[in-house]
Amino acid sequence: MTDDRPIRVLLADDQALFRRAIAALLDAQPDFEVVGEANNGLEGVEEARALRPDIVVLDVEMPIMDGLEAARVIRETLPEVKVVVLTVCEDDDHLLGAIRLGVHGYLLKDLRPDELFTMLRSVMRDETPVSPALVSRLLAEVRNAQPTHSEVRPIRRGQSLSVRELEILQLVAQGLSNREIGRALSITEGTVKNHVHNALHKLHMDNRIQAAAYIVREGLGVKPGTASSLG
């Protein structure tokens, strides 16, 4: 965050007991404020439009409108709102579908509270957290998959990645956060963030996971099995 106001969060989950428990945990943190709750994806979309939160946290499997469809609508109509999936679902199709939609994080419900707080905070630093248990599966999938038009568009002539941008994306694909990359390269976290932003723009991508997938799939300097987290 660039100011002192709390991170405003909207929760959408049809399991009321779980949703209210997460709301209580977040509200107990000084830098979070739960501004709304929704019972299904459609309510989540409507509440997001009305409340304009910083982050919408969505379950995948919900009635009326599932989390992925809700994520798609929010990403298309409220691009300034960050979308994080929080689910028990480890299905690879759901994971890859969410990444293609440009979600800002894909987390499993077995996280500890402190891990959830840390990952949501990292979303506001333009990082894209994925539960560690899913990262190796995600990269294995993209390593073997053919890119689709929606995943990767060719870099236009004159827009190739700089040496520094490629170097930073290689470290992103190894699971380093902006802060860790800055320490490794002896540059500031803000400089890393700017390079990542510029690289994503050149690659026509929405988030770090898509960029990491591109680096792995194209064999641009990442060894299999090195990744543990994507932010």
Side-chain angles (χ1 to χ4, degrees), residues 107-172:
L107 310 178
L108 296 179
K109 289 182 176 180
D110 61 358
L111 288 171
R112 299 191 312 269
D114 60 300
E115 292 175 324
L116 175 63
F117 305 150
T118 297
M119 289 185 171
L120 291 182
R121 289 172 183 133
S122 77
V123 168
M124 297 307 297
R125 297 194 300 268
D126 294 326
E127 297 178 9
T128 311
V130 175
S131 287
L134 298 175
V135 174
S136 60
R137 288 165 50 188
L138 171 64
L139 294 184
E141 284 287 331
V142 299
R143 199 174 288 123
N144 298 320
Q146 293 298 317
T148 66
H149 178 72
S150 62
E151 288 176 313
V152 177
R153 279 172 260 166
I155 304 174
R156 293 194 297 270
R157 181 172 300 189
Q159 282 199 305
S160 59
L161 296 176
S162 70
V163 172
R164 180 62 97 185
E165 288 165 351
L166 178 58
E167 182 179 28
I168 287 173
L169 289 190
Q170 289 169 342
L171 294 175
V172 167

Coordinates of all heavy atoms in Angstrom, one line a residue, residues 107-172:
L107 N -4.6 -19.6 -3.7 CA -4.2 -20.1 -2.4 C -5.1 -21.2 -2.0 O -6.3 -21.2 -2.3 CB -4.3 -18.9 -1.4 CG -3.6 -17.6 -1.8 CD1 -3.8 -16.6 -0.7 CD2 -2.1 -17.9 -2.0
L108 N -4.6 -22.1 -1.2 CA -5.3 -23.2 -0.6 C -5.7 -22.9 0.8 O -5.0 -22.2 1.5 CB -4.5 -24.5 -0.7 CG -4.2 -25.1 -2.1 CD1 -3.3 -26.3 -1.9 CD2 -5.4 -25.3 -2.9
K109 N -6.9 -23.5 1.2 CA -7.4 -23.1 2.5 C -6.7 -23.8 3.7 O -7.0 -23.5 4.8 CB -8.9 -23.5 2.6 CG -9.8 -22.6 1.7 CD -11.3 -23.1 1.9 CE -12.2 -22.1 1.1 NZ -13.6 -22.5 1.2
D110 N -5.6 -24.6 3.4 CA -4.9 -25.2 4.5 C -3.7 -24.2 4.9 O -2.9 -24.6 5.8 CB -4.3 -26.5 4.1 CG -3.4 -26.5 2.9 OD1 -3.2 -25.4 2.3 OD2 -2.8 -27.5 2.5
L111 N -3.7 -23.0 4.4 CA -2.7 -22.0 4.9 C -2.9 -21.7 6.3 O -4.0 -21.7 6.9 CB -2.9 -20.7 4.1 CG -2.4 -20.7 2.6 CD1 -2.9 -19.4 2.0 CD2 -0.9 -20.9 2.5
R112 N -1.8 -21.4 7.0 CA -1.9 -20.8 8.3 C -2.3 -19.4 8.2 O -2.1 -18.7 7.2 CB -0.5 -20.9 9.1 CG 0.0 -22.3 9.3 CD 1.2 -22.2 10.2 NE 2.2 -21.2 9.9 CZ 3.2 -21.3 9.0 NH1 3.4 -22.5 8.5 NH2 4.0 -20.3 8.8
P113 N -3.0 -18.8 9.3 CA -3.4 -17.4 9.2 C -2.3 -16.5 8.8 O -2.5 -15.6 8.0 CB -4.0 -17.1 10.6 CG -4.5 -18.5 11.0 CD -3.5 -19.5 10.5
D114 N -1.1 -16.6 9.4 CA 0.0 -15.7 9.1 C 0.4 -15.8 7.7 O 0.8 -14.8 7.1 CB 1.2 -15.9 10.1 CG 1.7 -17.3 10.0 OD1 1.0 -18.3 10.2 OD2 2.9 -17.5 9.6
E115 N 0.3 -17.0 7.1 CA 0.7 -17.2 5.7 C -0.3 -16.5 4.8 O 0.1 -15.8 3.8 CB 0.7 -18.7 5.3 CG 1.9 -19.4 6.0 CD 1.8 -20.9 5.7 OE1 0.7 -21.5 5.6 OE2 2.9 -21.5 5.5
L116 N -1.6 -16.6 5.2 CA -2.6 -15.9 4.4 C -2.4 -14.3 4.4 O -2.5 -13.7 3.4 CB -4.0 -16.2 5.0 CG -5.2 -15.4 4.3 CD1 -5.3 -15.7 2.8 CD2 -6.5 -15.7 5.1
F117 N -2.1 -13.8 5.6 CA -1.9 -12.4 5.7 C -0.7 -11.9 4.9 O -0.8 -11.0 4.1 CB -1.6 -12.0 7.2 CG -2.7 -12.4 8.2 CD1 -2.3 -12.7 9.5 CD2 -4.0 -12.5 7.8 CE1 -3.3 -13.1 10.4 CE2 -5.0 -12.9 8.7 CZ -4.6 -13.2 10.0
T118 N 0.4 -12.7 5.0 CA 1.6 -12.4 4.2 C 1.3 -12.4 2.7 O 1.8 -11.5 2.0 CB 2.7 -13.4 4.5 OG1 3.1 -13.2 5.9 CG2 4.0 -13.1 3.7
M119 N 0.6 -13.4 2.2 CA 0.3 -13.5 0.8 C -0.6 -12.4 0.3 O -0.4 -11.9 -0.8 CB -0.2 -14.9 0.5 CG 0.9 -16.0 0.6 SD 0.3 -17.6 0.1 CE 1.8 -18.5 0.2
L120 N -1.6 -12.1 1.1 CA -2.5 -11.0 0.7 C -1.8 -9.7 0.7 O -2.0 -8.8 -0.2 CB -3.7 -10.9 1.6 CG -4.7 -12.1 1.5 CD1 -5.9 -11.8 2.5 CD2 -5.2 -12.2 0.1
R121 N -0.9 -9.5 1.6 CA 0.0 -8.2 1.6 C 0.8 -8.2 0.3 O 1.0 -7.2 -0.3 CB 0.8 -8.2 2.8 CG 0.0 -7.9 4.1 CD 0.9 -8.0 5.4 NE 0.1 -7.8 6.6 CZ 0.1 -8.6 7.6 NH1 0.9 -9.6 7.7 NH2 -0.6 -8.3 8.7
S122 N 1.4 -9.4 -0.1 CA 2.2 -9.4 -1.2 C 1.4 -9.1 -2.5 O 2.0 -8.5 -3.5 CB 2.9 -10.8 -1.4 OG 2.0 -11.8 -1.8
V123 N 0.1 -9.4 -2.5 CA -0.7 -9.1 -3.7 C -0.7 -7.5 -3.9 O -0.7 -7.0 -5.0 CB -2.1 -9.6 -3.5 CG1 -3.1 -9.0 -4.5 CG2 -2.1 -11.1 -3.6
M124 N -0.7 -6.8 -2.8 CA -0.7 -5.3 -2.9 C 0.6 -4.8 -3.3 O 0.7 -3.6 -3.6 CB -1.2 -4.7 -1.5 CG -2.6 -5.1 -1.1 SD -3.8 -4.8 -2.4 CE -3.7 -3.0 -2.6
R125 N 1.6 -5.6 -3.3 CA 2.9 -5.2 -3.8 C 3.1 -5.7 -5.3 O 4.2 -5.8 -5.8 CB 4.1 -5.8 -3.0 CG 4.1 -5.3 -1.5 CD 5.4 -5.6 -0.8 NE 5.7 -7.1 -0.8 CZ 5.3 -7.8 0.2 NH1 4.6 -7.3 1.3 NH2 5.6 -9.1 0.2
D126 N 2.0 -6.1 -5.9 CA 2.0 -6.6 -7.3 C 2.7 -7.9 -7.4 O 3.2 -8.2 -8.5 CB 2.5 -5.5 -8.2 CG 1.7 -4.3 -8.3 OD1 0.4 -4.4 -8.2 OD2 2.2 -3.2 -8.4
E127 N 2.7 -8.7 -6.4 CA 3.2 -10.0 -6.5 C 2.0 -11.0 -6.7 O 0.9 -10.6 -6.5 CB 4.1 -10.4 -5.3 CG 5.3 -9.5 -5.2 CD 6.2 -9.8 -4.0 OE1 5.9 -10.8 -3.3 OE2 7.1 -9.0 -3.7
T128 N 2.3 -12.2 -7.1 CA 1.2 -13.2 -7.4 C 1.4 -14.5 -6.6 O 2.0 -15.4 -7.2 CB 1.1 -13.4 -8.9 OG1 1.1 -12.2 -9.6 CG2 -0.1 -14.2 -9.3
P129 N 1.0 -14.5 -5.4 CA 1.3 -15.7 -4.6 C 0.5 -16.9 -5.0 O -0.7 -16.8 -5.4 CB 0.9 -15.3 -3.2 CG -0.1 -14.2 -3.4 CD 0.3 -13.5 -4.6
V130 N 1.1 -18.1 -5.0 CA 0.5 -19.4 -5.2 C 0.9 -20.3 -4.0 O 2.1 -20.3 -3.6 CB 0.9 -20.0 -6.5 CG1 0.4 -21.4 -6.7 CG2 0.5 -19.1 -7.7
S131 N 0.0 -21.0 -3.5 CA 0.3 -22.0 -2.4 C 1.5 -22.8 -2.9 O 1.5 -23.4 -4.0 CB -0.9 -22.8 -2.0 OG -1.8 -22.1 -1.3
P132 N 2.5 -23.0 -2.0 CA 3.7 -23.8 -2.4 C 3.4 -25.1 -3.0 O 4.1 -25.6 -3.9 CB 4.5 -23.8 -1.1 CG 4.1 -22.6 -0.4 CD 2.7 -22.4 -0.7
A133 N 2.4 -25.8 -2.4 CA 2.1 -27.2 -2.9 C 1.7 -27.2 -4.4 O 1.7 -28.3 -5.0 CB 0.9 -27.7 -2.0
L134 N 1.3 -26.1 -4.9 CA 0.8 -26.0 -6.3 C 1.8 -25.6 -7.3 O 1.6 -25.7 -8.5 CB -0.5 -25.1 -6.4 CG -1.7 -25.5 -5.5 CD1 -2.7 -24.4 -5.6 CD2 -2.2 -26.8 -6.0
V135 N 2.9 -24.9 -6.8 CA 3.8 -24.3 -7.7 C 4.5 -25.3 -8.7 O 4.5 -25.1 -9.9 CB 4.9 -23.5 -7.0 CG1 5.9 -23.0 -7.9 CG2 4.2 -22.4 -6.2
S136 N 5.0 -26.4 -8.1 CA 5.7 -27.4 -9.0 C 4.7 -28.0 -10.0 O 5.1 -28.2 -11.2 CB 6.3 -28.5 -8.1 OG 5.3 -29.2 -7.4
R137 N 3.5 -28.2 -9.6 CA 2.5 -28.7 -10.5 C 2.1 -27.7 -11.6 O 2.0 -28.1 -12.8 CB 1.2 -29.1 -9.8 CG 1.4 -30.4 -8.9 CD 0.3 -30.6 -7.9 NE -1.0 -30.4 -8.5 CZ -2.2 -30.4 -7.8 NH1 -2.1 -30.4 -6.5 NH2 -3.3 -30.3 -8.4
L138 N 2.0 -26.5 -11.2 CA 1.8 -25.4 -12.2 C 2.9 -25.3 -13.3 O 2.6 -25.3 -14.5 CB 1.6 -24.1 -11.5 CG 1.5 -22.8 -12.4 CD1 0.3 -22.9 -13.2 CD2 1.6 -21.6 -11.6
L139 N 4.1 -25.3 -12.8 CA 5.2 -25.2 -13.8 C 5.4 -26.5 -14.6 O 5.8 -26.4 -15.7 CB 6.5 -24.8 -13.0 CG 6.5 -23.4 -12.4 CD1 7.8 -23.1 -11.8 CD2 6.1 -22.4 -13.4
A140 N 5.1 -27.6 -14.0 CA 5.1 -28.9 -14.8 C 4.1 -28.8 -15.9 O 4.4 -29.3 -17.0 CB 4.9 -30.1 -13.9
E141 N 2.9 -28.3 -15.6 CA 1.9 -28.2 -16.6 C 2.3 -27.3 -17.8 O 2.2 -27.6 -18.9 CB 0.6 -27.7 -16.0 CG -0.2 -28.7 -15.2 CD -0.9 -29.7 -16.1 OE1 -1.2 -29.4 -17.2 OE2 -1.1 -30.9 -15.6
V142 N 2.8 -26.1 -17.4 CA 3.1 -25.2 -18.5 C 4.4 -25.6 -19.2 O 4.6 -25.2 -20.4 CB 3.3 -23.7 -17.9 CG1 2.0 -23.3 -17.3 CG2 4.5 -23.6 -16.9
R143 N 5.3 -26.4 -18.6 CA 6.5 -26.9 -19.2 C 6.1 -27.8 -20.4 O 6.8 -27.8 -21.4 CB 7.3 -27.6 -18.2 CG 8.8 -27.8 -18.6 CD 9.6 -28.4 -17.5 NE 9.8 -27.4 -16.4 CZ 9.4 -27.6 -15.1 NH1 8.8 -28.7 -14.8 NH2 9.6 -26.7 -14.2
N144 N 5.0 -28.5 -20.2 CA 4.6 -29.5 -21.2 C 3.5 -29.0 -22.1 O 3.1 -29.7 -23.1 CB 4.2 -30.8 -20.5 CG 5.3 -31.4 -19.7 OD1 6.4 -31.4 -20.2 ND2 4.9 -31.9 -18.5
A145 N 2.9 -27.9 -21.8 CA 1.8 -27.4 -22.6 C 2.2 -26.5 -23.8 O 3.2 -25.8 -23.7 CB 0.8 -26.6 -21.7
Q146 N 1.3 -26.5 -24.8 CA 1.5 -25.6 -25.9 C 0.8 -24.3 -25.5 O -0.3 -24.3 -25.0 CB 0.9 -26.2 -27.2 CG 1.6 -27.4 -27.7 CD 3.1 -27.1 -28.1 OE1 3.3 -26.0 -28.7 NE2 4.0 -27.9 -27.7
P147 N 1.4 -23.1 -25.7 CA 0.8 -21.9 -25.4 C -0.4 -21.6 -26.3 O -0.4 -22.0 -27.4 CB 1.9 -20.8 -25.7 CG 2.8 -21.5 -26.6 CD 2.8 -23.0 -26.3
T148 N -1.5 -21.0 -25.6 CA -2.6 -20.6 -26.4 C -2.6 -19.1 -26.7 O -1.8 -18.4 -26.0 CB -3.9 -20.9 -25.6 OG1 -3.9 -20.1 -24.4 CG2 -4.0 -22.4 -25.2
H149 N -3.4 -18.7 -27.6 CA -3.4 -17.3 -27.9 C -3.6 -16.4 -26.7 O -3.1 -15.3 -26.6 CB -4.4 -17.0 -29.0 CG -4.5 -15.5 -29.4 ND1 -3.5 -14.9 -30.1 CD2 -5.4 -14.6 -29.1 CE1 -3.9 -13.6 -30.3 NE2 -5.0 -13.4 -29.7
S150 N -4.5 -16.9 -25.8 CA -4.8 -16.1 -24.6 C -3.7 -16.1 -23.6 O -3.7 -15.2 -22.7 CB -6.1 -16.6 -23.9 OG -5.9 -18.0 -23.5
E151 N -2.8 -17.0 -23.6 CA -1.7 -17.1 -22.7 C -0.5 -16.2 -23.1 O 0.0 -15.5 -22.3 CB -1.2 -18.5 -22.5 CG -2.2 -19.4 -21.8 CD -1.7 -20.9 -21.8 OE1 -1.2 -21.3 -22.8 OE2 -1.7 -21.5 -20.7
V152 N -0.1 -16.3 -24.3 CA 1.1 -15.6 -24.8 C 0.9 -15.1 -26.1 O 0.5 -15.8 -27.0 CB 2.3 -16.6 -24.8 CG1 3.6 -15.9 -25.3 CG2 2.6 -17.2 -23.4
R153 N 1.1 -13.8 -26.3 CA 1.2 -13.2 -27.6 C 2.6 -12.9 -28.0 O 3.4 -12.5 -27.1 CB 0.3 -12.0 -27.7 CG -1.2 -12.3 -27.8 CD -2.0 -11.0 -27.7 NE -2.6 -11.0 -26.3 CZ -3.1 -9.9 -25.8 NH1 -3.1 -8.8 -26.5 NH2 -3.6 -10.0 -24.6
P154 N 3.0 -13.0 -29.2 CA 4.4 -12.7 -29.6 C 4.8 -11.3 -29.2 O 4.0 -10.3 -29.2 CB 4.4 -12.8 -31.1 CG 3.2 -13.6 -31.4 CD 2.2 -13.3 -30.4
I155 N 6.0 -11.1 -28.8 CA 6.6 -9.8 -28.5 C 6.8 -9.1 -29.8 O 7.4 -9.6 -30.7 CB 7.9 -10.0 -27.7 CG1 7.8 -10.8 -26.5 CG2 8.5 -8.6 -27.4 CD1 9.1 -11.1 -25.8
R156 N 6.3 -7.9 -29.9 CA 6.4 -7.1 -31.1 C 7.9 -6.7 -31.3 O 8.6 -6.5 -30.3 CB 5.5 -5.9 -31.0 CG 4.0 -6.2 -31.0 CD 3.3 -4.9 -31.3 NE 3.4 -3.9 -30.3 CZ 2.7 -3.8 -29.2 NH1 1.7 -4.6 -29.0 NH2 2.9 -2.8 -28.4
R157 N 8.3 -6.6 -32.6 CA 9.6 -6.2 -32.9 C 10.0 -4.8 -32.2 O 9.1 -3.9 -32.2 CB 9.8 -6.0 -34.4 CG 11.2 -5.6 -34.8 CD 11.3 -5.7 -36.3 NE 11.1 -7.0 -36.8 CZ 11.3 -7.4 -38.1 NH1 11.8 -6.6 -38.9 NH2 11.1 -8.6 -38.4
G158 N 11.1 -4.8 -31.6 CA 11.5 -3.6 -30.9 C 11.1 -3.6 -29.4 O 11.4 -2.7 -28.7
Q159 N 10.4 -4.7 -29.0 CA 9.9 -4.8 -27.6 C 10.5 -6.0 -26.9 O 9.9 -6.5 -26.0 CB 8.4 -4.8 -27.5 CG 7.7 -3.5 -27.7 CD 6.3 -3.5 -27.2 OE1 5.5 -4.3 -27.6 NE2 6.0 -2.6 -26.4
S160 N 11.7 -6.5 -27.3 CA 12.3 -7.6 -26.7 C 12.7 -7.2 -25.2 O 12.9 -6.1 -24.9 CB 13.5 -8.1 -27.5 OG 14.4 -7.0 -27.6
L161 N 12.7 -8.3 -24.4 CA 13.1 -8.0 -23.0 C 14.5 -7.6 -22.9 O 15.4 -8.1 -23.6 CB 12.9 -9.3 -22.2 CG 11.5 -9.8 -22.1 CD1 11.5 -11.2 -21.3 CD2 10.6 -8.9 -21.4
S162 N 14.8 -6.7 -22.0 CA 16.2 -6.3 -21.7 C 16.9 -7.4 -21.0 O 16.2 -8.3 -20.4 CB 16.3 -5.0 -20.9 OG 15.8 -5.2 -19.6
V163 N 18.2 -7.4 -20.9 CA 18.9 -8.4 -20.2 C 18.5 -8.4 -18.7 O 18.3 -9.4 -18.1 CB 20.5 -8.1 -20.3 CG1 21.2 -9.0 -19.3 CG2 20.9 -8.3 -21.7
R164 N 18.3 -7.2 -18.1 CA 17.9 -7.1 -16.7 C 16.5 -7.6 -16.5 O 16.2 -8.3 -15.5 CB 18.0 -5.6 -16.2 CG 17.6 -5.4 -14.8 CD 18.5 -6.2 -13.8 NE 19.5 -5.4 -13.3 CZ 20.5 -5.8 -12.5 NH1 20.6 -7.1 -12.2 NH2 21.4 -5.0 -12.1
E165 N 15.6 -7.3 -17.4 CA 14.2 -7.8 -17.3 C 14.2 -9.3 -17.4 O 13.5 -10.0 -16.6 CB 13.3 -7.2 -18.4 CG 13.0 -5.7 -18.2 CD 12.5 -5.1 -19.5 OE1 12.5 -5.7 -20.6 OE2 12.1 -3.9 -19.4
L166 N 14.9 -9.9 -18.3 CA 15.0 -11.4 -18.4 C 15.6 -12.0 -17.1 O 15.1 -13.0 -16.6 CB 15.8 -11.8 -19.6 CG 16.0 -13.3 -19.8 CD1 14.7 -14.0 -19.9 CD2 16.8 -13.6 -21.1
E167 N 16.6 -11.4 -16.6 CA 17.3 -11.8 -15.4 C 16.3 -11.8 -14.2 O 16.2 -12.8 -13.5 CB 18.5 -10.9 -15.1 CG 19.3 -11.4 -13.9 CD 20.5 -10.4 -13.6 OE1 20.4 -9.2 -14.0 OE2 21.4 -10.9 -13.0
I168 N 15.5 -10.8 -14.1 CA 14.5 -10.7 -13.1 C 13.4 -11.7 -13.2 O 13.0 -12.3 -12.3 CB 14.0 -9.2 -13.0 CG1 15.1 -8.3 -12.4 CG2 12.7 -9.2 -12.1 CD1 14.7 -6.9 -12.4
L169 N 12.9 -11.9 -14.4 CA 11.9 -12.9 -14.7 C 12.4 -14.3 -14.4 O 11.6 -15.2 -13.9 CB 11.3 -12.8 -16.1 CG 10.5 -11.6 -16.4 CD1 9.8 -11.7 -17.8 CD2 9.4 -11.3 -15.3
Q170 N 13.6 -14.6 -14.7 CA 14.2 -15.9 -14.3 C 14.1 -16.1 -12.8 O 13.8 -17.2 -12.3 CB 15.6 -16.0 -14.8 CG 15.8 -16.1 -16.3 CD 17.2 -15.9 -16.8 OE1 18.0 -15.3 -16.1 NE2 17.5 -16.3 -18.0
L171 N 14.4 -15.0 -12.0 CA 14.3 -15.1 -10.6 C 12.9 -15.2 -10.1 O 12.6 -15.9 -9.1 CB 15.0 -14.0 -9.9 CG 16.6 -13.9 -10.2 CD1 17.2 -12.7 -9.6 CD2 17.2 -15.2 -9.6
V172 N 12.0 -14.5 -10.8 CA 10.5 -14.7 -10.5 C 10.1 -16.1 -10.7 O 9.4 -16.7 -9.8 CB 9.7 -13.8 -11.4 CG1 8.2 -14.1 -11.3 CG2 9.9 -12.3 -11.0

